[in-house]
Amino acid sequence: GAVVSQHPSRVICKSGTSVKIECRSLDFQATTMFWYRQFPKQSLMLMATSNEGSKATYEQGVEKDKFLINHASLTLSTLTVTSAHPEDSSFYICSAPHRGGGSDTQYFGPGTRLTVL
Amino acid sequence: SQQGEEDPQALSIQEGENATMNCSYKTSINNLQWYRQNSGRGLVHLILIRSNEREKHSGRLRVTLDTSKKSSSLLITASRAADTASYFCATAFSEGGKLIFGQGTELSVKP
């Protein structure tokens, strides 16, 4: 089946630094990918839609200058958390839709746990 | 923004019992999906039901959708300890489009 990977799986950084998270579709092409954030014991919140070849679409309340998204190719989207602060510590998950069995199923990456000290 | 509410927030049952989780949403949808997440891990897609479908089965899973009430339910029959996880419903406005997740139900199945 379709596989989506994320790298790194876990990152710890100091406050004020920037962190880049990669999301790759390993065996299919994805013109669109989605980025979610999940705080402990909470649900997934959609942050933005990453579009290959064009600007990302951000959900209301998500700062586009803080969370930079680049969809450089049909298999790679990156999320850069700029000037990270402790409140940005969270579980970041990406997904990509892939048609199979007659429907577009979302395939999720394993997530990246970000801890900002 | 959250689209859906799920209840119960937490459910604890004995192995062998059935578990029912409910999800309500606010706007018209193309499809509704259920996912499972083990603690601190990624999501596993369980089942997708389209807006023109009323019921779907997959193994021990049964999903219903009532678009007039804007609600869905997930039934897990003959639960096992390995079913212990968080379960989320998610709605999509278009096929392959972004998903809006419900709050989730934390299921604990005791052996």
Side-chain angles (χ1 to χ4, degrees):
Chain A
V3 176
V4 173
S5 70
Q6 279 184 242
H7 178 79
S9 58
R10 189 179 295 267
V11 57
I12 301 172
C13 69
K14 292 182 179 179
S15 188
T17 60
S18 293
V19 175
K20 181 187 283 189
I21 302 170
E22 294 184 347
C23 177
R24 290 181 187 275
S25 55
L26 296 186
D27 49 1
F28 66 99
Q29 294 182 332
T31 56
T32 302
M33 291 183 177
F34 302 97
W35 286 96
Y36 298 83
R37 179 169 55 181
Q38 184 180 33
F39 292 107
K41 299 289 186 184
Q42 293 187 26
S43 185
L44 282 77
M45 293 288 290
L46 178 66
M47 298 176 67
T49 302
S50 174
N51 304 299
E52 190 269 334
S54 64
K55 291 183 180 179
T57 306
Y58 290 82
E59 295 299 304
Q60 193 172 8
V62 178
E63 301 174 57
K64 65 179 193 286
D65 294 330
K66 181 167 182 63
F67 298 100
L68 300 179
I69 290 172
N70 182 25
H71 200 133
S73 74
L74 287 170
T75 58
L76 173 64
S77 173
T78 59
L79 168 68
T80 301
V81 183
T82 62
S83 186
H85 291 283
E87 57 266 28
D88 297 323
S89 297
S90 188
F91 194 50
Y92 291 86
I93 307 174
C94 69
S95 74
H98 178 58
R99 177 160 283 271
S103 64
D104 274 318
T105 299
Q106 291 282 350
Y107 290 90
F108 283 81
T112 297
R113 187 161 303 282
L114 170 64
T115 302
V116 185
L117 302 175
Chain B
S1 60
Q2 295 299 131
Q3 155 82 306
E5 295 182 1
E6 290 184 56
D7 77 271
Q9 287 188 329
L11 179 61
S12 182
I13 58 175
Q14 294 294 131
E15 213 167 23
E17 293 180 338
N18 295 343
T20 300
M21 290 160 262
N22 303 295
C23 168
S24 62
Y25 56 93
K26 298 174 185 173
T27 62
S28 296
I29 60 172
N30 174 278
N31 65 76
L32 185 145
Q33 302 175 38
W34 285 90
Y35 288 84
R36 166 200 168 115
Q37 184 182 37
N38 286 74
S39 181
R41 308 285 288 275
L43 276 82
V44 175
H45 179 261
L46 296 177
I47 199 164
L48 179 153
I49 186 165
R50 289 195 174 85
S51 60
N52 61 353
E53 297 175 311
R54 292 296 166 259
E55 188 171 312
K56 220 167 179 181
H57 298 253
S58 176
R60 293 184 296 114
L61 307 180
R62 173 176 167 255
V63 168
T64 62
L65 179 65
D66 187 336
T67 52
S68 67
K69 294 182 180 177
K70 292 187 169 59
S71 67
S72 173
S73 68
L74 170 67
L75 168 68
I76 304 175
T77 60
S79 63
R80 305 166 183 166
D83 294 329
T84 295
S86 292
Y87 291 82
F88 296 94
C89 68
T91 52
F93 304 110
S94 62
E95 193 143 331
K98 63 184 182 183
L99 294 175
I100 305 298
F101 282 82
Q103 303 286 358
T105 294
E106 199 170 325
L107 174 65
S108 174
V109 181
K110 300 187 187 312

